[in-house]
């Protein structure tokens, strides 16, 4: 995941500006520089940070009080900036929002308090310092209860239930959901204690960290699961080895009927209001970076948009939509529930884990690309994150200019603010996937590796207001360019995607040369270059969707660009052939 573009960024910038001396030239392309200047002056990083601070105080599950309070907090921010509730808006109001209400099919859950101690009184966990200790959907114990603990040997799904566990508490090193199913639902255990922490969370260093997880909601058993930190696991295993096999546990949770809330806010376009650039930030999950940071950044993106619009400094021709809700679910519904609207969603961007202080969390800011050949041949400086990704096929490729367009906006912001911008091949798992499933260009803005990912140490002290502003600026500039002048946007895209294609072919050619010199197959290396060329040809052809009515001049530019890319590909393949 350390794709820092030491060659690519300088190459692209020199092509764009015809000058390699960035100290004397603006790092921003002339088409986009005015947007950067406007947003840099207007985006309120402190306000974004304060929104993160408000949201992150809650353990947020869809429908619980923390989730709903976060929704209404964002609503108030929008109203303060001039967004009008849709049912009260006039036909001329362009800043509008609505809160969608839907009944939940299952009750929601929220934690209140909890503690786990050895029978001797030594504390293992307390909710006040480990708010991820209770598995989501755990029922209350109805006061403090004492149980015998049975340790099940094995790990993962290779567990050995070689004794009766009915009415006892089962401890194992596996996922809490799997252990709950095996021990409580199948064998009658009273509850479970589970430990599983991935290596990138550095559990031996961050010994109090617990990653949140869930168990199935079982209204008959009304049981519970507790997740252990490394420190708690070590204390427990030491006690069990000494023959101290009893624990005391006191869990207080609430499970109740509720509804699902989603905020849909929009700055309507002046000419093509049905065409949309859609941002999405999910509210649920209990962390600060994941994903209170996405909520804070997007709320300020929307607020900045409103202030600039009201001041007459921007006037998008197409609509910008800001979604806040349940991860994947809300975005998928926005796309699927209205077929006509879905046809006019032109771009989608997910803001997920976008505020990190990387000196504390590790990793870097990443743009997760739409599926390109790097997800087939992950080589050179391309690397998957520790989150992981599958090897894709050619049939799963989604050629589009959106990858390089968004990347260039963030490279510019990175160069201007001395901020590191990386990429990773497609992996999935966030709000960009519903767009891609519906053949809509979609990208993820995020950070990884994060040693506090999904843990209760993902708190406000790990969030950077500067990062929130950098991500928010790059995101909003991207939206304003693509929803603004179609001619300027299309000219910029053709220029950039052509340069990116040539540069990528050069990079792959050098990698292929090395492979052939090490005994690799010419046919394989030819296939890689052919596939990259075909991907970029498709990306160039898809630039037609920027214009409402592509004209003959633009078609000629597309033709010329494709010919240039194809010629470069053929040239590189011939060079490989004679090696």
């Amino acid at each position: 995941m350390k794709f820092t573009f030491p060659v690519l960024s300088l190459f692209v910038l020199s092509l764009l500006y015809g000058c390699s001396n960035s100290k004397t030239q603006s790092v921003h392309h002339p088409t986009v520089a005015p947007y950067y200047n406007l947003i840099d002056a207007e985006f309120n990083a402190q306000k974004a940070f304060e929104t993160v601070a408000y949201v992150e105080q809650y353990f947020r599950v869809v429908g619980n009080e923390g989730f709903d309070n976060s929704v209404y907090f964002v609503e108030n921010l929008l109203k303060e900036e001039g967004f009008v509730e849709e049912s009260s808006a006039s036909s001329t109001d362009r800043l509008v929002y609505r809160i969608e209400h839907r009944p939940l099919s299952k009750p929601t859950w929220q934690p209140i308090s909890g503690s786990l101690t050895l029978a001797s009184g030594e504390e293992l966990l307390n909710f006040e310092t480990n708010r991820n200790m209770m598995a989501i959907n755990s029922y209350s114990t109805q006061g403090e209860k004492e149980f015998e603990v049975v340790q099940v040997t094995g790990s993962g799904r290779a567990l050995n239930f070689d004794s009766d566990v009915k009415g006892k508490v089962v401890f194992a090193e596996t996922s809490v959901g799997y252990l709950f199913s095996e021990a409580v639902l199948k064998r009658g255990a009273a509850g479970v204690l589970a430990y599983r922490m991935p290596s990138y969370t550095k559990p031996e260093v961050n010994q109090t960290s617990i990653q949140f997880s869930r168990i199935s909601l079982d209204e008959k058993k009304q049981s519970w699961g507790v997740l252990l930190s490394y420190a708690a696991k070590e204390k427990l295993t030491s006690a069990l080895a000494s023959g101290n096999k009893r624990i005391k546990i006191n869990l207080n949770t609430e499970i109740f009927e509720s509804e699902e809330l989603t905020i849909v806010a929009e700055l309507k376009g002046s000419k093509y209001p049905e065409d949309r650039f859609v941002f999405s930030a999910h509210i649920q999950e209990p962390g600060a970076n994941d994903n209170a940071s996405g909520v804070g950044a997007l709320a300020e993106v929307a607020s900045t948009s409103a202030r600039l619009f009201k001041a007459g400094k921007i006037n998008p021709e197409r609509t910008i939509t800001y979604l806040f809700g349940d991860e994947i679910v809300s975005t998928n519904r926005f796309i699927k529930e209205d077929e006509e609207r879905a046809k006019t969603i032109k771009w989608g961007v997910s803001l997920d884990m976008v505020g990190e202080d990387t000196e504390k969390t590790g990793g870097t800011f990443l743009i997760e690309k739409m599926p390109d050949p790097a997800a087939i041949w992950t080589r050179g400086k391309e690397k998957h994150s520790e989150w992981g990704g599958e090897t894709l096929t050619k049939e799963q490729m989604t050629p589009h200019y959106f990858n390089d367009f968004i990347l260039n906006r963030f490279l510019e912001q990175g160069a201007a603010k001395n901020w590191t911008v990386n990429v990773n091949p497609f992996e999935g798992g966030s709000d960009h996937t519903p767009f891609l499933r519906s053949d809509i260009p979609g990208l993820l803005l995020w950070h990884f590796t994060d040693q506090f990912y999904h843990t209760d140490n993902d708190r406000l002290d790990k969030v950077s207001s500067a990062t929130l502003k950098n991500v928010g600026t790059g995101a909003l500039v991207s939206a304003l360019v693509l929803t603004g002048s179609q001619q300027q946007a299309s000219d910029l895209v053709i220029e950039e995607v052509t340069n990116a294609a040539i540069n990528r072919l050069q990079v792959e050619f050098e990698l292929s040369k090395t492979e052939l010199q090490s005994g690799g197959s010419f046919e394989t290396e030819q296939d890689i270059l052919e596939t990259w060329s075909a991907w970029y040809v498709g990306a160039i052809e898809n630039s037609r969707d920027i214009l409402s009515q592509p004209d003959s001049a633009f078609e000629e530019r597309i033709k010329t660009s494709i010919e240039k890319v194809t010629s470069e590909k053929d040239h590189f393949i011939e060079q490989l052939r004679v090696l």
Side-chain angles (χ1 to χ4, degrees), residues 81-98:
E81 299 296 352
F83 284 86
V84 180
E85 208 284 323
E86 206 168 68
S87 63
S88 304
S90 70
S91 59
T92 58
D93 283 319
R94 290 178 58 190
L95 292 168
V96 299
Y97 81 93
R98 65 180 180 273

Side-chain angles (χ1 to χ4, degrees), residues 31-325:
T31 296
V32 301
Y35 290 118
Y36 280 102
N37 295 335
L38 285 174
I39 296 166
D40 188 58
E42 190 62 47
F43 191 98
N44 190 328
Q46 181 59 33
K47 192 172 179 182
F49 187 84
E50 290 170 359
T51 300
V52 177
Y54 179 86
V55 174
E56 75 96 30
Q57 70 182 303
Y58 298 109
F59 192 113
R60 304 173 305 279
V61 175
V62 176
N64 77 3
E65 292 177 9
F67 186 98
D68 291 356
N69 287 345
S70 299
V71 166
Y72 294 122
F73 185 86
V74 172
E75 178 191 27
N76 287 332
L77 292 177
L78 296 174
K79 289 166 68 175
E80 289 173 3
E81 299 296 352
F83 284 86
V84 180
E85 208 284 323
E86 206 168 68
S87 63
S88 304
S90 70
S91 59
T92 58
D93 283 319
R94 290 178 58 190
L95 292 168
V96 299
Y97 81 93
R98 65 180 180 273
I99 297 180
E100 299 177 346
H101 300 252
R102 294 177 179 84
L104 286 173
S105 59
K106 294 183 179 180
T108 191
W109 178 90
Q110 63 187 31
I112 305 300
S113 63
S115 64
L116 174 67
T117 65
L118 299 175
S120 63
E122 183 179 4
E123 185 174 86
L124 299 180
L125 294 172
N126 193 297
F127 178 74
E128 291 184 1
T129 52
N130 280 110
R131 68 177 184 172
N132 287 359
M133 65 174 282
M134 289 177 278
I136 296 170
N137 294 328
S138 291
Y139 277 80
S140 296
T141 57
Q142 307 301 319
E144 185 176 74
K145 301 291 173 64
E146 184 172 331
F147 296 97
E148 178 185 345
V149 177
V150 176
Q151 182 172 5
V152 175
T153 58
S155 62
R157 300 208 167 191
L159 301 179
N160 302 310
F161 284 90
D162 52 9
S163 62
D164 181 19
V165 300
K166 188 173 183 179
K168 301 174 183 178
V169 170
V170 175
F171 162 56
E173 297 193 23
T174 185
S175 75
V176 70
Y178 177 70
L179 185 59
F180 183 83
S181 175
E182 292 296 313
V184 174
L185 301 185
K186 293 182 181 180
R187 295 174 173 85
V192 296
L193 308 176
Y195 174 79
R196 187 178 70 168
M197 292 290 290
S199 60
Y200 59 76
T201 62
K202 301 180 180 178
E204 293 85 355
V205 176
N206 304 309
Q207 294 195 6
T208 64
S209 284
I210 299 175
Q211 285 197 317
F212 73 86
S213 191
R214 66 179 60 237
I215 57 177
S216 58
L217 181 65
D218 193 286
E219 297 179 83
K220 292 183 179 180
K221 298 284 187 179
Q222 296 197 1
S223 185
W224 46 266
V226 167
L227 299 136
L228 302 179
S229 66
Y230 179 86
K233 182 261 297 184
E234 290 292 289
K235 287 181 182 180
L236 179 61
T237 53
S238 177
L240 294 175
S242 300
N244 300 318
K245 298 184 177 182
R246 300 194 69 83
I247 55 98
K248 292 180 180 179
I249 186 162
N250 189 354
L251 307 180
N252 185 10
T253 68
E254 292 182 344
I255 296 175
F256 53 93
E257 300 294 330
S258 188
E259 61 180 354
E260 176 195 344
L261 304 181
T262 303
I263 298 180
V264 182
E266 293 189 321
L267 168 50
K268 291 185 176 181
S270 60
K271 293 184 179 180
Y272 312 99
E274 297 307 314
D275 289 353
R276 287 177 170 84
F277 188 115
V278 179
F279 287 116
S280 184
H282 65 88
I283 297 173
Q284 102 294 344
E285 296 192 345
N289 277 307
D290 193 7
N291 187 37
S293 68
V295 176
L298 185 54
E300 183 55 24
V301 164
S303 298
T304 300
S305 306
R307 293 193 294 270
L308 291 174
F309 170 70
K310 290 186 297 181
K313 296 178 180 179
I314 62 170
N315 187 24
E317 296 182 359
R318 288 169 162 143
T319 294
I320 304 175
T321 301
Y322 320 88
L323 292 179
F324 303 83

Side-chain angles (χ1 to χ4, degrees), residues 328-400:
I328 298 179
V329 173
S330 295
T331 305
N332 189 62
R333 183 186 295 115
F334 186 80
I335 296 167
K336 295 291 188 180
E337 71 180 358
D338 186 330
E339 292 183 3
E340 292 305 311
R341 180 173 64 200
K343 293 176 183 177
T344 57
I345 299 173
K346 302 186 76 65
W347 311 277
V349 169
S350 169
L351 286 80
D352 188 353
M353 301 171 63
V354 294
E356 305 214 1
D357 182 338
T358 55
E359 290 187 3
K360 296 178 180 178
T361 63
T364 60
F365 171 73
L366 296 169
I367 299 171
E368 181 166 309
K369 300 184 291 178
M370 297 168 61
D372 68 4
I376 305 174
W377 301 282
T378 307
R379 63 182 193 165
K381 291 175 180 175
E382 294 265 18
K383 289 181 175 64
H384 279 290
S385 76
E386 286 84 350
W387 200 89
E390 298 178 356
T391 300
L392 302 186
T393 66
K394 293 179 185 179
E395 290 70 28
Q396 292 172 296
M397 296 297 96
T398 54
H400 205 276

